Amino acid sequence: MAPKQNIVFLAVIMVKTCQQFVYKMKDAVKWNDIVEGREDAYRNLYDSYGDLLYGYGMKILANEDVVLDCIQSLFMNIFEKRRHLAVPNSIAAYLCRSLKNLLINETQSATVRNTCEFDETIGDNYDFDLELDAESALIANEKDGEKYRLFQAELKKLSKQQREILYLRYYKGLEITEIAEILNVSKRTVYNTTNNALSRLRENKALASYFSDTALLVLLSIGKFYL
Amino acid sequence: MDIEKIDISQFPLKHEVFARKKELGDRLAKMRDLQRKAELAASRRRHHKIFVWSAGLVAAAVVAIAIFMLQTVTVTTMSNEQLITLPCNSTVNVAANSTISYRPYLWKLIGRNVILEEGTAYFSVEKGKRFTVETEYGTIGVLGTEFEVSNQSDAMTVTCFEGRVEVSANEAANEAANQPVELSKGQQVVVKRNEVAEPQSIITEEEIPVEEPEEEKVISYDHEPLINVVEEIERRFDLTVTNKNLCNGISYSGKFYTTDQDMTLKMVIMACGFDFKVKDGKVTLIAIE
């Protein structure tokens, strides 16, 4: 790599590290307010993470009522047990993982729904479907429509874990560490899975033409430095 | 190829728009509110419980202390008299067949108060706060003195031996009768139950003769040189004893009566193996051959 590029990467890493640190501090402050039971803290928490949880939850279980119920019980659990909760490394990861557990519990048995804790024995019998919304996208011409169909088909071919990681990484913008925490796998696994998924997408020549390689490269290299 | 930049997140996904976000947010806020109120009520109940318990404990402790403090000590004598020391070091000599009672733990708090329920008691009071003796018939108040109280079947007699004593009748019918009577040294008073018609007759005062103290009547000796005893006899009965050199080397153990001259002379001198003659206040010792 050229020295110029190195400097750019270094700067990017520094900025990212600082950002992460700031986020962590913010998270800690937020969580302190949560433990104290301050109303505005809960409103903020819900406003910040409601969309993330809804989107993620709907991918695990495509039933809006159940997802809403689970989000509700998640927030209520936090409120009830606030005095006994440890400060999470990342609030987003903590919430996502908790919601996932709740949803899986919900699908396994409708009666057991009191887990906010992490249960390592939870089964993987959910299907992380990424369904593209062609209607809401502005499809100007036939070529765009084709592009959507291609991408949808490629996504179907990916593994469930690859879809989940891609979703969390690129749609929800979570960090590698956060994704690793949600999926309960190592950062290396997350990185490899992301890499494999992107390579597979790029293998499709027809689809690859729609992606800008540089954009993917930057994403990948940042991911690499974080490992 | 195509130059347009496509990030995969630019393909919109289904189920990403959280249409019922506000609805759920409001529901959550409401539930939180209810729960917080419940928690508050619970903590208030807890505090209430703690308060009630602690109040109960304090009340129980106060009752226990009160019961302890109100304890009464009662002394009843049968056939012989008994000497009692009160908390302030005053002493009471309770005569036979008498009963007194007092509260030792309230002695300093409320005041020195002894109840003479029946019989007679001789009090020797240390100086200090007002000391009172209550009987069926009246109350005797003092500061520090010696006196005797005696309950009879229809009246009580108070005799003051030292200092001043204040006597007041219990069931005084009017102001005049309720006025306490002061006794000074050597005075005695009889208090009867009040009769409304004659308030003056309740309390009568009379001077009692100042007697020799009783323990002075009999003097006991134990291995005392006879010469000392003889000198004491000279002093007591205003006699002059001659031929006193006979007494040397003899000691006397026994009594003599200060009231009876002849008896004492006989007891002391004849016990030592001498004879004596008395003439015009002069006693001559005679050795028996």
Side-chain angles (χ1 to χ4, degrees), chain A residues 14-47:
Chain A
M14 277 170 67
V15 168
K16 278 270 180 183
T17 315
C18 287
Q19 261 183 358
Q20 211 178 21
F21 182 71
V22 168
Y23 286 148
K24 261 203 172 154
M25 290 295 291
K26 269 187 182 169
D27 274 9
V29 170
K30 256 191 215 167
W31 202 255
N32 200 28
D33 289 349
I34 292 286
V35 170
E36 279 172 19
R38 285 174 56 170
E39 185 58 32
D40 53 344
Y42 281 88
R43 263 187 201 290
N44 269 333
L45 192 73
Y46 179 70
D47 286 342

PDB file of all heavy atoms in Angstrom, chain A residues 14-47:
ATOM      1  N   MET A  14      -8.347   6.256  13.697  1.00  0.00           N
ATOM      2  CA  MET A  14      -8.342   7.127  14.861  1.00  0.00           C
ATOM      3  C   MET A  14      -9.708   7.754  15.099  1.00  0.00           C
ATOM      4  O   MET A  14     -10.222   7.786  16.213  1.00  0.00           O
ATOM      5  CB  MET A  14      -7.273   8.224  14.711  1.00  0.00           C
ATOM      6  CG  MET A  14      -5.894   7.733  15.129  1.00  0.00           C
ATOM      7  SD  MET A  14      -4.615   8.888  14.693  1.00  0.00           S
ATOM      8  CE  MET A  14      -5.010  10.247  15.760  1.00  0.00           C
ATOM      9  N   VAL A  15     -10.280   8.253  13.983  1.00  0.00           N
ATOM     10  CA  VAL A  15     -11.602   8.879  14.092  1.00  0.00           C
ATOM     11  C   VAL A  15     -12.608   7.870  14.608  1.00  0.00           C
ATOM     12  O   VAL A  15     -13.407   8.150  15.519  1.00  0.00           O
ATOM     13  CB  VAL A  15     -12.040   9.460  12.726  1.00  0.00           C
ATOM     14  CG1 VAL A  15     -13.522   9.837  12.767  1.00  0.00           C
ATOM     15  CG2 VAL A  15     -11.180  10.648  12.360  1.00  0.00           C
ATOM     16  N   LYS A  16     -12.536   6.659  14.046  1.00  0.00           N
ATOM     17  CA  LYS A  16     -13.498   5.610  14.428  1.00  0.00           C
ATOM     18  C   LYS A  16     -13.346   5.244  15.906  1.00  0.00           C
ATOM     19  O   LYS A  16     -14.338   5.069  16.629  1.00  0.00           O
ATOM     20  CB  LYS A  16     -13.253   4.353  13.576  1.00  0.00           C
ATOM     21  CG  LYS A  16     -13.896   4.447  12.205  1.00  0.00           C
ATOM     22  CD  LYS A  16     -15.289   3.883  12.282  1.00  0.00           C
ATOM     23  CE  LYS A  16     -15.979   3.968  10.920  1.00  0.00           C
ATOM     24  NZ  LYS A  16     -17.356   3.488  10.996  1.00  0.00           N
ATOM     25  N   THR A  17     -12.055   5.143  16.330  1.00  0.00           N
ATOM     26  CA  THR A  17     -11.794   4.775  17.723  1.00  0.00           C
ATOM     27  C   THR A  17     -12.357   5.833  18.662  1.00  0.00           C
ATOM     28  O   THR A  17     -13.025   5.515  19.652  1.00  0.00           O
ATOM     29  CB  THR A  17     -10.283   4.630  17.972  1.00  0.00           C
ATOM     30  OG1 THR A  17      -9.731   3.893  16.892  1.00  0.00           O
ATOM     31  CG2 THR A  17     -10.000   3.937  19.274  1.00  0.00           C
ATOM     32  N   CYS A  18     -12.079   7.092  18.303  1.00  0.00           N
ATOM     33  CA  CYS A  18     -12.604   8.192  19.115  1.00  0.00           C
ATOM     34  C   CYS A  18     -14.119   8.133  19.170  1.00  0.00           C
ATOM     35  O   CYS A  18     -14.714   8.262  20.248  1.00  0.00           O
ATOM     36  CB  CYS A  18     -12.155   9.550  18.543  1.00  0.00           C
ATOM     37  SG  CYS A  18     -10.418   9.859  18.854  1.00  0.00           S
ATOM     38  N   GLN A  19     -14.711   7.901  17.997  1.00  0.00           N
ATOM     39  CA  GLN A  19     -16.173   7.845  17.932  1.00  0.00           C
ATOM     40  C   GLN A  19     -16.699   6.747  18.848  1.00  0.00           C
ATOM     41  O   GLN A  19     -17.633   6.974  19.621  1.00  0.00           O
ATOM     42  CB  GLN A  19     -16.604   7.542  16.500  1.00  0.00           C
ATOM     43  CG  GLN A  19     -17.012   8.780  15.720  1.00  0.00           C
ATOM     44  CD  GLN A  19     -17.491   8.397  14.331  1.00  0.00           C
ATOM     45  OE1 GLN A  19     -17.480   7.228  13.952  1.00  0.00           O
ATOM     46  NE2 GLN A  19     -17.892   9.396  13.566  1.00  0.00           N
ATOM     47  N   GLN A  20     -16.032   5.588  18.741  1.00  0.00           N
ATOM     48  CA  GLN A  20     -16.491   4.462  19.544  1.00  0.00           C
ATOM     49  C   GLN A  20     -16.401   4.785  21.026  1.00  0.00           C
ATOM     50  O   GLN A  20     -17.326   4.482  21.796  1.00  0.00           O
ATOM     51  CB  GLN A  20     -15.635   3.241  19.227  1.00  0.00           C
ATOM     52  CG  GLN A  20     -16.415   1.972  19.379  1.00  0.00           C
ATOM     53  CD  GLN A  20     -15.582   0.775  19.015  1.00  0.00           C
ATOM     54  OE1 GLN A  20     -14.352   0.840  19.030  1.00  0.00           O
ATOM     55  NE2 GLN A  20     -16.237  -0.310  18.679  1.00  0.00           N
ATOM     56  N   PHE A  21     -15.283   5.432  21.398  1.00  0.00           N
ATOM     57  CA  PHE A  21     -15.095   5.810  22.787  1.00  0.00           C
ATOM     58  C   PHE A  21     -16.204   6.756  23.240  1.00  0.00           C
ATOM     59  O   PHE A  21     -16.806   6.576  24.303  1.00  0.00           O
ATOM     60  CB  PHE A  21     -13.722   6.473  22.945  1.00  0.00           C
ATOM     61  CG  PHE A  21     -13.426   6.855  24.355  1.00  0.00           C
ATOM     62  CD1 PHE A  21     -13.163   5.874  25.311  1.00  0.00           C
ATOM     63  CD2 PHE A  21     -13.418   8.188  24.749  1.00  0.00           C
ATOM     64  CE1 PHE A  21     -12.893   6.219  26.615  1.00  0.00           C
ATOM     65  CE2 PHE A  21     -13.163   8.525  26.064  1.00  0.00           C
ATOM     66  CZ  PHE A  21     -12.899   7.551  26.984  1.00  0.00           C
ATOM     67  N   VAL A  22     -16.470   7.749  22.378  1.00  0.00           N
ATOM     68  CA  VAL A  22     -17.519   8.720  22.702  1.00  0.00           C
ATOM     69  C   VAL A  22     -18.861   8.014  22.829  1.00  0.00           C
ATOM     70  O   VAL A  22     -19.635   8.270  23.759  1.00  0.00           O
ATOM     71  CB  VAL A  22     -17.576   9.843  21.638  1.00  0.00           C
ATOM     72  CG1 VAL A  22     -18.841  10.681  21.823  1.00  0.00           C
ATOM     73  CG2 VAL A  22     -16.347  10.722  21.733  1.00  0.00           C
ATOM     74  N   TYR A  23     -19.139   7.091  21.896  1.00  0.00           N
ATOM     75  CA  TYR A  23     -20.401   6.352  21.961  1.00  0.00           C
ATOM     76  C   TYR A  23     -20.503   5.583  23.260  1.00  0.00           C
ATOM     77  O   TYR A  23     -21.541   5.545  23.913  1.00  0.00           O
ATOM     78  CB  TYR A  23     -20.516   5.374  20.775  1.00  0.00           C
ATOM     79  CG  TYR A  23     -20.806   6.051  19.461  1.00  0.00           C
ATOM     80  CD1 TYR A  23     -20.333   5.543  18.261  1.00  0.00           C
ATOM     81  CD2 TYR A  23     -21.568   7.224  19.427  1.00  0.00           C
ATOM     82  CE1 TYR A  23     -20.591   6.157  17.057  1.00  0.00           C
ATOM     83  CE2 TYR A  23     -21.828   7.864  18.224  1.00  0.00           C
ATOM     84  CZ  TYR A  23     -21.344   7.334  17.033  1.00  0.00           C
ATOM     85  OH  TYR A  23     -21.593   7.960  15.860  1.00  0.00           O
ATOM     86  N   LYS A  24     -19.376   4.973  23.633  1.00  0.00           N
ATOM     87  CA  LYS A  24     -19.386   4.166  24.868  1.00  0.00           C
ATOM     88  C   LYS A  24     -19.689   5.032  26.077  1.00  0.00           C
ATOM     89  O   LYS A  24     -20.472   4.673  26.943  1.00  0.00           O
ATOM     90  CB  LYS A  24     -18.032   3.467  25.046  1.00  0.00           C
ATOM     91  CG  LYS A  24     -18.086   2.035  24.582  1.00  0.00           C
ATOM     92  CD  LYS A  24     -17.020   1.204  25.241  1.00  0.00           C
ATOM     93  CE  LYS A  24     -17.252  -0.259  24.894  1.00  0.00           C
ATOM     94  NZ  LYS A  24     -16.022  -1.030  24.952  1.00  0.00           N
ATOM     95  N   MET A  25     -19.034   6.229  26.097  1.00  0.00           N
ATOM     96  CA  MET A  25     -19.276   7.149  27.192  1.00  0.00           C
ATOM     97  C   MET A  25     -20.739   7.561  27.233  1.00  0.00           C
ATOM     98  O   MET A  25     -21.376   7.575  28.287  1.00  0.00           O
ATOM     99  CB  MET A  25     -18.398   8.403  27.037  1.00  0.00           C
ATOM    100  CG  MET A  25     -16.926   8.156  27.271  1.00  0.00           C
ATOM    101  SD  MET A  25     -16.611   7.683  28.960  1.00  0.00           S
ATOM    102  CE  MET A  25     -16.959   9.226  29.778  1.00  0.00           C
ATOM    103  N   LYS A  26     -21.253   7.858  26.017  1.00  0.00           N
ATOM    104  CA  LYS A  26     -22.663   8.260  25.923  1.00  0.00           C
ATOM    105  C   LYS A  26     -23.564   7.139  26.419  1.00  0.00           C
ATOM    106  O   LYS A  26     -24.528   7.376  27.149  1.00  0.00           O
ATOM    107  CB  LYS A  26     -23.003   8.598  24.466  1.00  0.00           C
ATOM    108  CG  LYS A  26     -22.794  10.055  24.117  1.00  0.00           C
ATOM    109  CD  LYS A  26     -23.324  10.309  22.724  1.00  0.00           C
ATOM    110  CE  LYS A  26     -23.098  11.745  22.298  1.00  0.00           C
ATOM    111  NZ  LYS A  26     -23.373  11.909  20.860  1.00  0.00           N
ATOM    112  N   ASP A  27     -23.201   5.920  25.994  1.00  0.00           N
ATOM    113  CA  ASP A  27     -23.985   4.759  26.405  1.00  0.00           C
ATOM    114  C   ASP A  27     -23.995   4.625  27.926  1.00  0.00           C
ATOM    115  O   ASP A  27     -25.034   4.381  28.531  1.00  0.00           O
ATOM    116  CB  ASP A  27     -23.382   3.480  25.794  1.00  0.00           C
ATOM    117  CG  ASP A  27     -23.928   3.232  24.397  1.00  0.00           C
ATOM    118  OD1 ASP A  27     -24.609   4.132  23.872  1.00  0.00           O
ATOM    119  OD2 ASP A  27     -23.650   2.151  23.835  1.00  0.00           O
ATOM    120  N   ALA A  28     -22.799   4.801  28.507  1.00  0.00           N
ATOM    121  CA  ALA A  28     -22.685   4.647  29.963  1.00  0.00           C
ATOM    122  C   ALA A  28     -23.545   5.684  30.675  1.00  0.00           C
ATOM    123  O   ALA A  28     -24.261   5.373  31.624  1.00  0.00           O
ATOM    124  CB  ALA A  28     -21.230   4.776  30.393  1.00  0.00           C
ATOM    125  N   VAL A  29     -23.472   6.941  30.185  1.00  0.00           N
ATOM    126  CA  VAL A  29     -24.265   8.013  30.791  1.00  0.00           C
ATOM    127  C   VAL A  29     -25.750   7.698  30.657  1.00  0.00           C
ATOM    128  O   VAL A  29     -26.514   7.795  31.616  1.00  0.00           O
ATOM    129  CB  VAL A  29     -23.934   9.372  30.132  1.00  0.00           C
ATOM    130  CG1 VAL A  29     -24.912  10.435  30.582  1.00  0.00           C
ATOM    131  CG2 VAL A  29     -22.512   9.775  30.483  1.00  0.00           C
ATOM    132  N   LYS A  30     -26.130   7.278  29.426  1.00  0.00           N
ATOM    133  CA  LYS A  30     -27.522   6.919  29.164  1.00  0.00           C
ATOM    134  C   LYS A  30     -27.964   5.833  30.115  1.00  0.00           C
ATOM    135  O   LYS A  30     -29.042   5.895  30.688  1.00  0.00           O
ATOM    136  CB  LYS A  30     -27.628   6.373  27.729  1.00  0.00           C
ATOM    137  CG  LYS A  30     -28.234   7.327  26.730  1.00  0.00           C
ATOM    138  CD  LYS A  30     -28.503   6.539  25.467  1.00  0.00           C
ATOM    139  CE  LYS A  30     -28.296   7.387  24.235  1.00  0.00           C
ATOM    140  NZ  LYS A  30     -28.259   6.562  23.023  1.00  0.00           N
ATOM    141  N   TRP A  31     -27.101   4.822  30.255  1.00  0.00           N
ATOM    142  CA  TRP A  31     -27.486   3.668  31.069  1.00  0.00           C
ATOM    143  C   TRP A  31     -27.636   4.050  32.531  1.00  0.00           C
ATOM    144  O   TRP A  31     -28.490   3.523  33.243  1.00  0.00           O
ATOM    145  CB  TRP A  31     -26.454   2.550  30.914  1.00  0.00           C
ATOM    146  CG  TRP A  31     -27.056   1.240  31.279  1.00  0.00           C
ATOM    147  CD1 TRP A  31     -26.842   0.537  32.408  1.00  0.00           C
ATOM    148  CD2 TRP A  31     -28.021   0.516  30.517  1.00  0.00           C
ATOM    149  NE1 TRP A  31     -27.592  -0.600  32.409  1.00  0.00           N
ATOM    150  CE2 TRP A  31     -28.336  -0.635  31.256  1.00  0.00           C
ATOM    151  CE3 TRP A  31     -28.645   0.732  29.292  1.00  0.00           C
ATOM    152  CZ2 TRP A  31     -29.253  -1.573  30.812  1.00  0.00           C
ATOM    153  CZ3 TRP A  31     -29.550  -0.210  28.842  1.00  0.00           C
ATOM    154  CH2 TRP A  31     -29.852  -1.346  29.596  1.00  0.00           C
ATOM    155  N   ASN A  32     -26.808   4.983  32.973  1.00  0.00           N
ATOM    156  CA  ASN A  32     -26.929   5.460  34.355  1.00  0.00           C
ATOM    157  C   ASN A  32     -28.312   6.052  34.593  1.00  0.00           C
ATOM    158  O   ASN A  32     -28.952   5.783  35.612  1.00  0.00           O
ATOM    159  CB  ASN A  32     -25.836   6.502  34.614  1.00  0.00           C
ATOM    160  CG  ASN A  32     -25.589   6.676  36.085  1.00  0.00           C
ATOM    161  OD1 ASN A  32     -25.795   5.736  36.856  1.00  0.00           O
ATOM    162  ND2 ASN A  32     -25.179   7.863  36.479  1.00  0.00           N
ATOM    163  N   ASP A  33     -28.759   6.850  33.606  1.00  0.00           N
ATOM    164  CA  ASP A  33     -30.101   7.439  33.731  1.00  0.00           C
ATOM    165  C   ASP A  33     -31.175   6.357  33.716  1.00  0.00           C
ATOM    166  O   ASP A  33     -32.194   6.467  34.408  1.00  0.00           O
ATOM    167  CB  ASP A  33     -30.345   8.433  32.588  1.00  0.00           C
ATOM    168  CG  ASP A  33     -29.496   9.680  32.767  1.00  0.00           C
ATOM    169  OD1 ASP A  33     -28.926   9.828  33.861  1.00  0.00           O
ATOM    170  OD2 ASP A  33     -29.395  10.482  31.822  1.00  0.00           O
ATOM    171  N   ILE A  34     -30.923   5.314  32.918  1.00  0.00           N
ATOM    172  CA  ILE A  34     -31.889   4.208  32.836  1.00  0.00           C
ATOM    173  C   ILE A  34     -32.008   3.534  34.199  1.00  0.00           C
ATOM    174  O   ILE A  34     -33.108   3.268  34.685  1.00  0.00           O
ATOM    175  CB  ILE A  34     -31.402   3.162  31.788  1.00  0.00           C
ATOM    176  CG1 ILE A  34     -31.468   3.742  30.374  1.00  0.00           C
ATOM    177  CG2 ILE A  34     -32.189   1.857  31.898  1.00  0.00           C
ATOM    178  CD1 ILE A  34     -32.825   3.870  29.801  1.00  0.00           C
ATOM    179  N   VAL A  35     -30.852   3.302  34.819  1.00  0.00           N
ATOM    180  CA  VAL A  35     -30.863   2.633  36.131  1.00  0.00           C
ATOM    181  C   VAL A  35     -31.596   3.491  37.151  1.00  0.00           C
ATOM    182  O   VAL A  35     -32.312   2.990  38.012  1.00  0.00           O
ATOM    183  CB  VAL A  35     -29.412   2.337  36.588  1.00  0.00           C
ATOM    184  CG1 VAL A  35     -29.394   1.882  38.036  1.00  0.00           C
ATOM    185  CG2 VAL A  35     -28.796   1.275  35.699  1.00  0.00           C
ATOM    186  N   GLU A  36     -31.419   4.819  37.022  1.00  0.00           N
ATOM    187  CA  GLU A  36     -32.120   5.712  37.958  1.00  0.00           C
ATOM    188  C   GLU A  36     -33.613   5.808  37.649  1.00  0.00           C
ATOM    189  O   GLU A  36     -34.372   6.343  38.456  1.00  0.00           O
ATOM    190  CB  GLU A  36     -31.506   7.111  37.897  1.00  0.00           C
ATOM    191  CG  GLU A  36     -30.231   7.220  38.716  1.00  0.00           C
ATOM    192  CD  GLU A  36     -29.525   8.536  38.492  1.00  0.00           C
ATOM    193  OE1 GLU A  36     -30.181   9.489  38.011  1.00  0.00           O
ATOM    194  OE2 GLU A  36     -28.323   8.611  38.768  1.00  0.00           O
ATOM    195  N   GLY A  37     -34.021   5.291  36.509  1.00  0.00           N
ATOM    196  CA  GLY A  37     -35.442   5.266  36.156  1.00  0.00           C
ATOM    197  C   GLY A  37     -35.975   6.600  35.676  1.00  0.00           C
ATOM    198  O   GLY A  37     -37.141   6.919  35.899  1.00  0.00           O
ATOM    199  N   ARG A  38     -35.104   7.396  35.034  1.00  0.00           N
ATOM    200  CA  ARG A  38     -35.569   8.716  34.570  1.00  0.00           C
ATOM    201  C   ARG A  38     -36.393   8.574  33.298  1.00  0.00           C
ATOM    202  O   ARG A  38     -35.996   7.894  32.360  1.00  0.00           O
ATOM    203  CB  ARG A  38     -34.371   9.631  34.340  1.00  0.00           C
ATOM    204  CG  ARG A  38     -33.806  10.120  35.662  1.00  0.00           C
ATOM    205  CD  ARG A  38     -32.555  10.887  35.463  1.00  0.00           C
ATOM    206  NE  ARG A  38     -32.744  12.006  34.542  1.00  0.00           N
ATOM    207  CZ  ARG A  38     -31.831  12.949  34.354  1.00  0.00           C
ATOM    208  NH1 ARG A  38     -30.698  12.890  34.998  1.00  0.00           N
ATOM    209  NH2 ARG A  38     -32.053  13.922  33.523  1.00  0.00           N
ATOM    210  N   GLU A  39     -37.539   9.237  33.324  1.00  0.00           N
ATOM    211  CA  GLU A  39     -38.500   9.088  32.229  1.00  0.00           C
ATOM    212  C   GLU A  39     -37.888   9.471  30.882  1.00  0.00           C
ATOM    213  O   GLU A  39     -38.015   8.739  29.896  1.00  0.00           O
ATOM    214  CB  GLU A  39     -39.729   9.953  32.526  1.00  0.00           C
ATOM    215  CG  GLU A  39     -40.856   9.805  31.544  1.00  0.00           C
ATOM    216  CD  GLU A  39     -41.373   8.372  31.421  1.00  0.00           C
ATOM    217  OE1 GLU A  39     -41.346   7.638  32.421  1.00  0.00           O
ATOM    218  OE2 GLU A  39     -41.791   7.997  30.307  1.00  0.00           O
ATOM    219  N   ASP A  40     -37.169  10.603  30.818  1.00  0.00           N
ATOM    220  CA  ASP A  40     -36.635  11.064  29.529  1.00  0.00           C
ATOM    221  C   ASP A  40     -35.593  10.086  28.993  1.00  0.00           C
ATOM    222  O   ASP A  40     -35.468   9.910  27.778  1.00  0.00           O
ATOM    223  CB  ASP A  40     -36.059  12.479  29.651  1.00  0.00           C
ATOM    224  CG  ASP A  40     -35.057  12.591  30.787  1.00  0.00           C
ATOM    225  OD1 ASP A  40     -35.049  11.690  31.642  1.00  0.00           O
ATOM    226  OD2 ASP A  40     -34.283  13.559  30.806  1.00  0.00           O
ATOM    227  N   ALA A  41     -34.873   9.417  29.887  1.00  0.00           N
ATOM    228  CA  ALA A  41     -33.884   8.431  29.455  1.00  0.00           C
ATOM    229  C   ALA A  41     -34.576   7.285  28.728  1.00  0.00           C
ATOM    230  O   ALA A  41     -34.087   6.809  27.698  1.00  0.00           O
ATOM    231  CB  ALA A  41     -33.110   7.898  30.653  1.00  0.00           C
ATOM    232  N   TYR A  42     -35.706   6.858  29.247  1.00  0.00           N
ATOM    233  CA  TYR A  42     -36.437   5.762  28.594  1.00  0.00           C
ATOM    234  C   TYR A  42     -36.999   6.207  27.251  1.00  0.00           C
ATOM    235  O   TYR A  42     -36.979   5.468  26.280  1.00  0.00           O
ATOM    236  CB  TYR A  42     -37.554   5.254  29.509  1.00  0.00           C
ATOM    237  CG  TYR A  42     -36.999   4.339  30.567  1.00  0.00           C
ATOM    238  CD1 TYR A  42     -36.530   4.845  31.759  1.00  0.00           C
ATOM    239  CD2 TYR A  42     -36.879   2.978  30.335  1.00  0.00           C
ATOM    240  CE1 TYR A  42     -35.974   4.025  32.711  1.00  0.00           C
ATOM    241  CE2 TYR A  42     -36.331   2.143  31.273  1.00  0.00           C
ATOM    242  CZ  TYR A  42     -35.879   2.671  32.466  1.00  0.00           C
ATOM    243  OH  TYR A  42     -35.314   1.848  33.387  1.00  0.00           O
ATOM    244  N   ARG A  43     -37.484   7.453  27.215  1.00  0.00           N
ATOM    245  CA  ARG A  43     -38.008   7.979  25.943  1.00  0.00           C
ATOM    246  C   ARG A  43     -36.881   8.000  24.900  1.00  0.00           C
ATOM    247  O   ARG A  43     -37.084   7.587  23.756  1.00  0.00           O
ATOM    248  CB  ARG A  43     -38.551   9.387  26.149  1.00  0.00           C
ATOM    249  CG  ARG A  43     -40.019   9.364  26.341  1.00  0.00           C
ATOM    250  CD  ARG A  43     -40.637  10.732  26.395  1.00  0.00           C
ATOM    251  NE  ARG A  43     -41.910  10.614  27.052  1.00  0.00           N
ATOM    252  CZ  ARG A  43     -42.964  10.016  26.519  1.00  0.00           C
ATOM    253  NH1 ARG A  43     -42.904   9.493  25.301  1.00  0.00           N
ATOM    254  NH2 ARG A  43     -44.096   9.924  27.181  1.00  0.00           N
ATOM    255  N   ASN A  44     -35.730   8.495  25.315  1.00  0.00           N
ATOM    256  CA  ASN A  44     -34.573   8.556  24.416  1.00  0.00           C
ATOM    257  C   ASN A  44     -34.184   7.174  23.930  1.00  0.00           C
ATOM    258  O   ASN A  44     -33.929   6.976  22.748  1.00  0.00           O
ATOM    259  CB  ASN A  44     -33.375   9.178  25.141  1.00  0.00           C
ATOM    260  CG  ASN A  44     -33.351  10.675  24.953  1.00  0.00           C
ATOM    261  OD1 ASN A  44     -33.859  11.162  23.952  1.00  0.00           O
ATOM    262  ND2 ASN A  44     -32.797  11.389  25.906  1.00  0.00           N
ATOM    263  N   LEU A  45     -34.132   6.248  24.869  1.00  0.00           N
ATOM    264  CA  LEU A  45     -33.734   4.875  24.537  1.00  0.00           C
ATOM    265  C   LEU A  45     -34.682   4.306  23.481  1.00  0.00           C
ATOM    266  O   LEU A  45     -34.243   3.731  22.485  1.00  0.00           O
ATOM    267  CB  LEU A  45     -33.779   4.024  25.796  1.00  0.00           C
ATOM    268  CG  LEU A  45     -33.137   2.643  25.717  1.00  0.00           C
ATOM    269  CD1 LEU A  45     -31.630   2.771  25.691  1.00  0.00           C
ATOM    270  CD2 LEU A  45     -33.567   1.788  26.896  1.00  0.00           C
ATOM    271  N   TYR A  46     -35.943   4.519  23.714  1.00  0.00           N
ATOM    272  CA  TYR A  46     -36.931   3.982  22.783  1.00  0.00           C
ATOM    273  C   TYR A  46     -36.850   4.691  21.435  1.00  0.00           C
ATOM    274  O   TYR A  46     -36.878   4.047  20.378  1.00  0.00           O
ATOM    275  CB  TYR A  46     -38.327   4.134  23.395  1.00  0.00           C
ATOM    276  CG  TYR A  46     -39.417   3.619  22.498  1.00  0.00           C
ATOM    277  CD1 TYR A  46     -39.552   2.253  22.269  1.00  0.00           C
ATOM    278  CD2 TYR A  46     -40.294   4.496  21.859  1.00  0.00           C
ATOM    279  CE1 TYR A  46     -40.541   1.776  21.435  1.00  0.00           C
ATOM    280  CE2 TYR A  46     -41.284   4.017  21.035  1.00  0.00           C
ATOM    281  CZ  TYR A  46     -41.410   2.667  20.816  1.00  0.00           C
ATOM    282  OH  TYR A  46     -42.371   2.196  19.996  1.00  0.00           O
ATOM    283  N   ASP A  47     -36.711   6.012  21.472  1.00  0.00           N
ATOM    284  CA  ASP A  47     -36.622   6.755  20.210  1.00  0.00           C
ATOM    285  C   ASP A  47     -35.387   6.355  19.415  1.00  0.00           C
ATOM    286  O   ASP A  47     -35.425   6.258  18.186  1.00  0.00           O
ATOM    287  CB  ASP A  47     -36.597   8.269  20.482  1.00  0.00           C
ATOM    288  CG  ASP A  47     -37.969   8.775  20.878  1.00  0.00           C
ATOM    289  OD1 ASP A  47     -38.953   8.054  20.613  1.00  0.00           O
ATOM    290  OD2 ASP A  47     -38.059   9.873  21.465  1.00  0.00           O
TER     291      ASP A  47
END
